[in-house]
Amino acid sequence: MRIAIYPGTFDPLTNGHLDIIERVCKLGISDRLIIAVRENLRKSPLLSLVERLALIYKLTSDFDQVEVDICTGLLVEYARSKYASMIIRGLRNGMDFNYEMEMAVINQSLAPDIETLFIPSKAENIYVSSSAVKEITKLGGSAGSMAPAAVIEYLKTKL
Ligand code: COA
């Protein structure tokens, strides 16, 4: 069985994240895709891990191969514990590339048997970010082109 992990903070899930999930499912490179929700030590999240997990669960329930989980500790150790052979990450621009490349190389040195695969963002998601979705919603604007309606409705109740 081919198992892939798509890790992220997902605070909250955006259309950019959903697009990556859909495209990985369509590619047929994995039998199970585990969306691994975790904390990023460089960020202070608005939503709790459970809130983020619940939103992702609701929005990915149509995908048979997708599972949602909370992940702690070293990413590669988590991937090993799930018998995963792939880590999926999306790339929007050169800044993402530099950050992701560094993580991928460190992860490769820690676990040479686990490959990181990069999926380029679609043009319409290049400027999408979880921070932008939160900021626009907080200031009363519409972030409907950046995140699913269920995410925005939930954020409105939080902000
Ligand atoms: N389209 C649009 N936006 C996207 C996107 C896409 N395809 N992919 C990511 N983004 C955005 C997100 O919305 C988010 O925006 P924000 O910065 O405004 O919050 C940002 O890009 C990245 O967020 P996300 O993908 O949710 O997660 P992350 O980059 O915070 O997650 C981890 C990073 C979890 C993968 C990383 O912290 C990690 O691997 N930690 C493990 C620790 C470890 O093992 N360390 C050792 C190796 S270094």
Side-chain angles (χ1 to χ4, degrees):
M1 170 153 325
R2 298 160 305 161
I3 301 168
I5 306 279
Y6 180 28
T9 310
F10 302 112
D11 183 44
L13 180 88
T14 66
N15 288 344
H17 295 126
L18 258 187
D19 169 56
I20 301 293
I21 294 167
E22 281 173 16
R23 284 160 64 201
V24 170
C25 289
K26 271 198 198 140
L27 269 175
I29 52 173
S30 60
D31 304 299
R32 283 173 66 202
L33 174 61
I34 304 175
I35 317 292
V37 187
R38 52 177 300 131
E39 300 299 12
N40 182 331
L41 298 179
R42 303 172 209 200
K43 294 179 181 174
S44 319
L46 171 71
L47 305 179
S48 70
L49 284 168
V50 172
E51 288 174 309
R52 285 178 260 157
L53 180 141
L55 277 172
I56 299 172
Y57 184 77
K58 185 171 171 180
L59 289 159
T60 58
S61 57
D62 287 346
F63 298 102
D64 290 344
Q65 65 165 271
V66 171
E67 293 165 34
V68 196
D69 192 19
I70 287 173
C71 143
T72 53
L74 262 186
L75 179 60
V76 290
E77 289 304 328
Y78 172 80
R80 278 211 177 107
S81 74
K82 297 287 174 187
Y83 303 98
S85 53
M86 295 169 259
I87 294 171
I88 308 289
R89 293 288 292 164
L91 289 181
R92 290 167 298 174
N93 51 39
M95 263 170 62
D96 277 359
F97 177 80
N98 289 342
Y99 172 67
E100 296 296 339
M101 190 65 197
E102 192 180 311
M103 271 203 311
V105 170
I106 295 171
N107 286 335
Q108 194 176 57
S109 71
L110 295 170
D113 48 323
I114 300 174
E115 291 289 354
T116 298
L117 304 184
F118 295 139
I119 309 275
S121 281
K122 278 195 180 150
E124 62 260 38
N125 294 324
I126 295 245
Y127 297 103
V128 171
S129 73
S130 301
S131 307
V133 171
K134 285 180 282 192
E135 190 165 329
I136 292 168
T137 308
K138 188 172 182 181
L139 297 174
S142 167
S145 63
M146 294 189 176
V151 166
I152 293 175
E153 286 314 308
Y154 192 79
L155 282 183
K156 282 184 187 165
T157 67
K158 287 287 287 190
L159 289 166

